Amino acid sequence: MKKSNMLNQIPQDLSQEIFEQVGGNDKVLIERIVSMAHVTPEGQWYDQDRSEWVMVLRGEAKLQFEHGELIHLKSGDYVDIEAHRKHRVSWTCEESETVWLAVHY
């Protein structure tokens, strides 16, 4: 068993968004996502086969849903997104990294 910390070992180069599996099995995927000014490309939507519970551990982000709903997430905020609920990341903080915990189930 290895101890780790979700807020440590943040890469210096965040020119690309970081997706890192930190746990899970064949039914559940647990990942850390690190963003900095990253957004889903305009006109693209996530339409996932599994539900996703996502929490912002550090930083801020905005999730936009297909029918106009916009959710602003700050540190400690979370949302449970049902499978096939189309959504996109419309904003993440530009000054510092946003660290997410995502559970796909």
Side-chain angles (χ1 to χ4, degrees), residues 17 19 31 33 39-55 61-71 73 79-92 100-105:
E17 195 168 32
F19 294 85
E31 64 183 348
I33 305 167
V39 298
T40 307
E42 196 63 42
Q44 291 187 18
W45 297 91
Y46 288 108
D47 184 2
Q48 301 168 162
D49 292 333
R50 298 191 285 180
S51 294
E52 179 182 9
W53 180 92
V54 65
M55 177 180 200
K62 292 181 183 177
L63 294 178
Q64 179 183 1
F65 292 85
E66 183 180 36
H67 299 292
E69 183 180 6
L70 185 67
I71 297 176
L73 298 170
V79 63
D80 194 15
I81 305 168
E82 302 155 356
H84 296 292
R85 177 120 190 250
K86 290 185 181 180
H87 64 284
R88 60 187 300 279
V89 178
S90 63
W91 175 83
T92 59
W100 311 72
L101 173 62
V103 179
H104 302 265
Y105 63 98

